[in-house]
Each structure stands twice: as structure tokens, then as C-alpha cells.
Amino acid sequence: MAAVTHVLVTGGAGFIGSHVTAALLAAGHSVSVLDNGHPAAHREPLPETVAGAAVQVADLRDRDAVAAALRGVEAVVHQAAMVGMGVDLADLPEYVGSNDLATAVLLAGMAHAKVRRLVLASSMVVYGEGSYACPEHGPQRPPARTPEDLQAGQFDPPCPVCRTALVPVTTGEDARLEPRSVYAATKLAQEHLASAWARQSGGSVVALRYHNVYGPGMPRDTPYSGVAAIFRSALEAGRAPRVFEDGGQRRDFVHVRDVARANVAALEATDREGFSAYNIASGRPATVADMAHALAGVLAGPSPVVTGEFRLGDVRHVVASPELARRELGFTAAIDLASGMADFATAELRA
């Protein structure tokens, strides 16, 4: 068993953070939780404890609160963030403040407190579009999809050479990083800040690029919710899930309990130096329509409706390679989509 570590989990009362907190405690570590109860994630007051760990209510942008929370801490698992696509560009300052300024204050506090280990919750959104190949011209990096193509129902990005629809291939951690939404830009900025902190402090950062996380405790149905929760809310109300584009967009849906295990593995990988990034994914991609049909089947609800609607900040396909996490962290996802959706269909969600 790994040595017991006193860990601060930021955002530890949130959807993913609460599972991470429970998993760290189950692995024998000592855990403190810091969470600000942001209304985008919490519609009810924060609990006093998560899995038995006391919750400190404070904003990461508060330097004094961060300094107090770091006393006696040996490592930080940084889950706190404002997530999702948001409502519109009016959200931009809050994304940057909650994600990037808050991370900067945390890193400065860690440097002062001489806390040298960080596990960072990053996201697959840092890639923008995933990796693609043209049958004729080989690997290609498509430009951002245009409103004109999307309005015409041309959802798959075309080859920049011949305009043939590109084929998605697995995306490794060395892929080009090109965020295409405000949230994505803030997650990449978090990685850059953490990498600079590691170089200057001599610390280590393990950035976990989560793919599409779902499971018990997801926020029910807000503009910041994951698509699985939005579909489930529709089905529970007797409505068909509304699937954007043609439903063929490919994602890797990974269960939150697997994500929590990945965080434990990252914390216990004490041989990491500098900055490292890993895809945290199931390795079994599915289309958004596949996921919607699986959930509708479990709930015996109406069949999903493919709407053709689109959001300009969305990407078409991101198909992850989980190989590096398996090789270097010893992490492999255990829960497949069918059993995960069966669990998720009746699991308690966050108000």
C-alpha cells in the first residue's frame, strides 16, 4: 500500500470531487476538502462532510483561505473548476476567474507552503477536434468547422486538401492542443500555469485529461451539466432526448468511479517529475446517439430525436488513447457503457 498522504481536494464537494475524496479516503489517505459551492455546480448548501472529510467553504481566489487550507498538506488534488459550455460569452469572466485566477492563487500558495505535488483535473477539450486521417492524404488537422457547413448538415470536418470527410483516429497526449471554447481555453491555461509552477518550484504535476465523465451525483439539468444528465432529465420527464447534429459525434464516456480511481493512481505515482498529462478514458468510444439510446433503453423511455441543431463551440469527434495512463499510472477503466448507463439511470443526481 502507498504511504499515507495528507491531501487537499479542491472542489471536493462537487460531482467528480466527491467521488475522488471518497476514493482517496478508501485508499487510506488523509483528506481535507475545500469548496466554494459555486452555483453552477451547487443549488443547495454544501454538506459539512464528504465521505467523512470536513468541508471548508471558501473561494480559491481568497489567498488567506488557501494558505490556511494548505497547512499540513503534502499534495493537492485540484478538481475545482467551472465546467461545461456555459450559457454565452457573458460567462467568460467567471470561467477565467474560477478556473485560471483561482489556479494561480492556489499554485502561489503551494509554492509558499512548499507543497510540491499536484494532481490537476484537466479535460479532453484541450485538444479541440481530435485526431483525423484522410483516406487519400493521411493524417490531417482540420480547421474549425464553419457555421455554413454546420447549417448545411456537413458535420464531419473535411480534409483541407480534398474536402473528403475525415475519419477520426485515436488521440494521444502528444496531439496538438487547440481549444475551441471558453471552457477549453481555461483548462489549457490551467495546464500551462501548472507546468510553469512545476519548473520553477521543482514540483510535480499529473494532469488528468478527463473525457466525458458521467455517473452518480451529476448535476441534474443546468447549462453546465454533462450531456448524460441532460438526457436523463428529459427521459424522466417523459421527453425524448434531443441529440444534436446527426448523433454521430464520437466521444469516450468514462464512469466517475473510474475517474476517481485514476486520481488515486496519479497521487500514488510518486516517481513523476515535472509536468505529465494523461487521457482518462474508457478506451471504448461511442457516439452520442449510442449513449442516448442506451440510456433510453434502460429507462424504457422515448427514443432519442436527432435534431440537426449544433453549437459552434462543440467539436465533432474526440476518440482517446488511454494507453499512456495504463502504461505509466497503471490505470485502466473498468466500467463499460452498458453497465455504466444501467447504474447511472437510477443513481441519485445532484439537485
Side-chain angles (χ1 to χ4, degrees):
M1 179 177 172
V4 174
T5 301
H6 184 187
V7 186
L8 174 66
V9 180
T10 71
F15 162 45
I16 298 175
S18 59
H19 285 273
V20 171
T21 296
L24 288 167
L25 288 165
H29 298 289
S30 172
V31 179
S32 301
V33 170
L34 183 68
D35 200 302
N36 72 347
H38 197 289
H42 301 273
R43 290 179 178 172
E44 296 178 348
L46 293 180
E48 292 185 359
T49 62
V50 172
V55 175
Q56 305 169 63
V57 182
D59 196 301
L60 279 176
R61 290 166 283 192
D62 182 335
R63 290 173 180 262
D64 292 338
V66 168
L70 287 170
R71 291 190 189 113
V73 165
E74 298 167 277
V76 174
V77 177
H78 184 26
Q79 304 291 320
M82 187 171 173
V83 303
M85 286 288 289
V87 177
D88 54 37
L89 288 175
D91 279 334
L92 202 158
E94 186 61 20
Y95 271 104
V96 173
S98 295
N99 296 358
D100 299 336
L101 177 57
T103 297
V105 173
L106 174 65
L107 293 172
M110 290 175 67
H112 180 75
K114 295 182 170 50
V115 179
R116 296 289 184 258
R117 294 169 58 200
L118 175 68
V119 178
L120 172 66
S122 187
S123 171
M124 58 91 174
V125 296
V126 300
Y127 297 119
E129 287 288 349
S131 300
Y132 292 85
C134 172
E136 184 174 350
H137 298 103
Q140 297 292 328
R141 185 71 185 180
R145 298 183 296 170
T146 67
E148 293 75 21
D149 280 349
L150 293 169
Q151 287 165 358
Q154 297 172 8
F155 300 119
D156 285 300
C159 172
V161 180
C162 66
R163 297 288 297 174
T164 298
L166 293 171
V167 178
V169 297
T170 55
T171 301
E173 288 82 354
D174 58 351
R176 179 177 170 183
L177 305 180
E178 191 178 9
R180 294 186 176 177
S181 70
V182 168
Y183 170 58
T186 65
K187 296 308 286 185
L188 183 54
Q190 283 187 318
E191 288 198 11
H192 287 325
L193 290 168
S195 180
W197 169 85
R199 284 195 301 274
Q200 291 183 242
S201 70
S204 70
V205 178
V206 179
L208 303 180
R209 291 174 179 162
Y210 301 159
H211 285 250
N212 288 69
V213 186
Y214 71 98
M218 285 187 85
R220 257 187 194 282
D221 191 5
T222 79
Y224 311 95
S225 296
V227 67
I230 292 170
F231 287 170
R232 181 177 141 173
S233 292
L235 287 161
E236 288 177 336
R239 302 190 309 269
R242 294 177 62 81
V243 179
F244 280 13
E245 301 187 15
D246 61 359
Q249 54 272 46
R250 291 167 67 79
R251 298 288 188 268
D252 191 305
F253 297 95
V254 57
H255 197 279
V256 68
R257 285 198 286 271
D258 280 329
V259 170
R261 289 195 306 106
N263 276 270
V264 176
L267 177 76
E268 295 179 350
T270 55
D271 58 338
R272 300 292 90 192
E273 296 181 356
F275 179 91
S276 307
Y278 299 92
N279 287 327
I280 301 303
S282 73
R284 298 179 287 269
T287 68
V288 173
D290 288 338
M291 186 273 285
H293 280 287
L295 191 56
V298 172
L299 291 170
S303 295
V305 173
V306 175
T307 69
E309 297 171 87
F310 62 87
R311 298 185 299 185
L312 197 57
D314 281 341
V315 297
R316 180 60 172 170
H317 303 296
V318 185
V319 180
S321 170
E323 175 58 23
L324 191 65
R326 184 197 66 77
R327 192 167 66 245
E328 296 190 2
L329 299 181
F331 168 75
T332 302
I335 301 172
D336 62 33
L337 186 63
S339 56
M341 282 295 153
D343 168 66
F344 175 66
T346 57
E348 184 176 352
L349 299 186
R350 191 174 296 266

